[in-house]
Amino acid sequence: MHFDGTDSYVATDDLTMAVNAAITLERPLLVKGEPGTGKTELARQVAQSLGLPMIEWNIKSTTRAQQGLYEYDAVSRLRDSQLGDERVHDVANYIRKGKLWQAFDADEKVVLLIDEVDKADIEFPNDLLQELDRMEFHVYETGETVRARQRPIVIITSNNEKELPDAFLRRCFFHYIKFPDHDTLRRIVEVHHPGIKPALLTTALTQFYELREQPGLKKKPSTSEVLDWLKLLLAEDMDPEDLKREGASALPKLHGALLKNEQDVHLFERLAFMARRGR
């Protein structure tokens, strides 16, 4: 199996190399990067490119590793026993398969996405070490051992909000998705907005990178946000002249697609005010 990117996802050479290395080593691929740089979408595109089903496990702050294996619904079993339901005699009726079990139980190889692993408790990654290493786990209530029929391709994403344990990192192939340079971002834009006028794109991307590079910015706009911004510019039928700003510190048109908190908006408003006073 070899991943080369897809028509709808621009993958750099180092990213495709990382995906293929993880597949060859049969290790989870840990992908880090700024929010909005395409980490989650990478898993979907790997599945599409290789023609494999995908199972997605979205991690929340309350998610426990056990939920990825299975959950035993003791409350339902107790209720059914009180009602005299015959199902209570088979504990398997009250075992709910988690995403890892689904991936292990699949008849064919699948892509398993564990999305935003750093949202969970710090012990969460360590609690999955053995299962991801051995590709098996024990179900204590039924006494069975679940083993992967086909070793899944595991892609784990992180927004770098928490440090991950060393023992977990040792078992992964790691890749950091850098923010795309001008040429790569142009290619990404062309995929999502084919035929965009070169002059408009040049002006828009110049403003976008100026915005990202502004010192003091709390949240830099991401790839997904510049795509939304360009979609709005195209919907409003704007041209390069419409994007002209009153000095480099002024806010760009439709800046709400790029700046997502009041601190950053106020920063540019203050810079614009100071620029006007300095004339």
Side-chain angles (χ1 to χ4, degrees):
M1 288 189 166
H2 192 82
F3 174 67
D4 291 311
T6 66
D7 292 339
S8 58
Y9 188 87
V10 176
T12 58
D13 291 342
D14 58 343
L15 179 55
T16 56
M17 190 179 299
V19 172
N20 291 317
I23 292 172
T24 300
L25 293 172
E26 295 188 323
R27 288 188 177 274
L29 173 63
L30 174 61
V31 185
K32 289 187 178 183
E34 293 180 33
T37 49
K39 302 184 297 297
T40 302
E41 187 60 26
L42 170 66
R44 298 182 182 127
Q45 296 299 325
V46 168
Q48 179 184 319
S49 172
L50 302 179
L52 301 176
M54 186 174 124
I55 295 174
E56 191 167 340
W57 187 14
N58 297 299
I59 306 304
K60 301 177 182 178
S61 60
T62 55
T63 303
R64 296 175 292 107
Q66 179 65 32
Q67 292 172 309
L69 306 179
Y70 69 92
E71 290 184 279
Y72 169 51
D73 191 354
V75 174
S76 292
R77 192 181 189 195
L78 175 61
R79 184 188 63 237
D80 288 349
S81 68
Q82 293 170 338
L83 296 173
D85 194 320
E86 289 297 316
R87 297 174 72 247
V88 299
H89 300 299
D90 186 357
V91 69
N93 290 323
Y94 302 93
I95 301 291
R96 296 177 181 172
K97 295 180 180 181
K99 300 294 185 180
L100 262 72
W101 190 335
Q102 293 172 31
F104 289 3
D105 211 28
D107 291 327
E108 58 181 318
K109 185 182 283 290
V110 301
V111 173
L112 172 63
L113 169 64
I114 304 176
D115 200 26
E116 298 191 331
V117 69
D118 51 331
K119 277 188 176 180
D121 183 85
I122 190 63
E123 290 304 318
F124 177 87
N126 277 339
D127 291 343
L128 289 177
L129 287 180
Q130 181 171 314
E131 289 75 16
L132 291 176
D133 243 2
R134 299 182 181 178
M135 286 288 150
E136 66 177 40
F137 63 89
H138 189 69
V139 183
Y140 295 98
E141 289 77 6
T142 62
E144 66 180 309
T145 297
V146 177
R147 294 183 178 87
R149 297 183 184 182
Q150 299 278 344
R151 193 178 188 99
I153 296 171
V154 182
I155 298 178
I156 304 170
T157 72
S158 167
N159 287 328
N160 233 1
E161 293 177 4
K162 290 179 189 170
E163 287 295 321
L164 298 174
D166 289 345
F168 178 76
L169 295 174
R170 280 199 302 273
R171 288 164 169 81
C172 299
F173 190 92
F174 172 75
H175 182 75
Y176 184 86
I177 297 183
K178 299 176 184 176
F179 192 82
D181 57 25
H182 279 263
D183 290 339
T184 304
L185 191 52
R186 279 179 173 273
R187 289 166 55 205
I188 293 171
V189 170
E190 185 59 36
V191 166
H192 291 270
H193 303 298
I196 188 170
K197 293 177 182 177
L200 175 64
L201 181 57
T202 298
T203 303
L205 291 187
T206 299
Q207 287 191 14
F208 172 71
Y209 277 104
E210 286 175 356
L211 201 73
R212 269 187 62 87
E213 292 161 10
Q214 175 61 49
L217 207 59
K218 184 178 180 181
K219 183 195 176 302
K220 294 182 178 182
S222 67
T223 309
S224 63
E225 286 158 343
V226 74
L227 292 174
D228 286 346
W229 185 51
L230 288 168
K231 184 178 181 179
L232 289 174
L233 298 183
L234 291 169
E236 295 292 329
D237 198 24
M238 291 190 177
D239 58 36
E241 289 296 312
D242 296 322
L243 296 184
K244 280 190 175 179
R245 296 185 290 167
E246 296 178 7
S249 301
L251 285 162
K253 297 287 193 303
L254 299 166
H255 62 268
L258 299 173
L259 300 176
K260 298 302 176 72
N261 64 69
E262 62 277 11
Q263 273 183 246
D264 290 341
V265 173
H266 291 161
L267 170 64
F268 278 91
E269 287 174 344
R270 287 196 303 272
L271 291 171
F273 176 72
M274 291 166 63
R276 287 194 296 270
R277 287 189 62 184
R279 286 178 184 173

